[in-house]
Amino acid sequence: NKSMSHLPLVRSMVQSVTSAYSGAKDRYPLLGLMGGVAEVGVRNISEEAMRRATPLLESLEPQIEAANSFALVGLDNLEKNFPFLNQCLKC
C-alpha cells in the first residue's frame, strides 16, 4: 500500500516543516509542551486523510505515470536539440 510520502516533493516539504517545527520546539519550551499535545491530534488526522486519499492516488497513478513519461521524453528531446540547456542547469 503506497502513500504520498514516497513522492519527492511531499517528502521534501514534510522534512522542511518537521525541521522548522523541531527547531521552534527546542527554542520555546512552552511551544514544545503544547505542541506535544497537538501532535497527537494532527498525527491522527493526517493518518486518516492519507488513508482516505490513498485509493484516489492509486487510481490516478497510471495517468500520472503516463504524464511523467511524456514529460521525460519531451525533456530528452529538448536536451538533444538544445545541448546548452544541460550546461546551464549545471551552473
Side-chain angles (χ1 to χ4, degrees):
N1 197 3
K2 294 181 181 180
S3 73
M4 287 180 22
S5 62
H6 77 280
L7 299 172
L9 180 61
V10 173
R11 190 174 339 138
S12 175
M13 182 182 69
V14 168
Q15 287 173 343
S16 295
V17 170
T18 301
S19 176
Y21 177 64
S22 294
K25 280 192 338 180
D26 291 343
R27 283 191 300 266
Y28 306 103
L30 182 58
L31 177 63
L33 178 63
M34 293 184 327
V37 173
E39 284 174 30
V40 174
V42 169
R43 188 177 306 120
N44 290 338
I45 291 169
S46 298
E47 287 173 359
E48 181 64 17
M50 292 299 291
R51 187 183 66 76
R52 291 179 185 232
T54 298
L56 174 63
L57 293 172
E58 287 175 349
S59 70
L60 293 175
E61 193 168 0
Q63 291 86 348
I64 294 169
E65 184 66 33
N68 186 52
S69 295
F70 183 71
L72 289 174
V73 168
L75 287 174
D76 286 343
N77 287 335
L78 279 174
E79 287 178 351
K80 286 178 191 172
N81 293 326
F82 304 100
F84 67 89
L85 289 175
N86 199 20
Q87 293 171 352
C88 292
L89 292 174
K90 294 179 182 178
C91 297

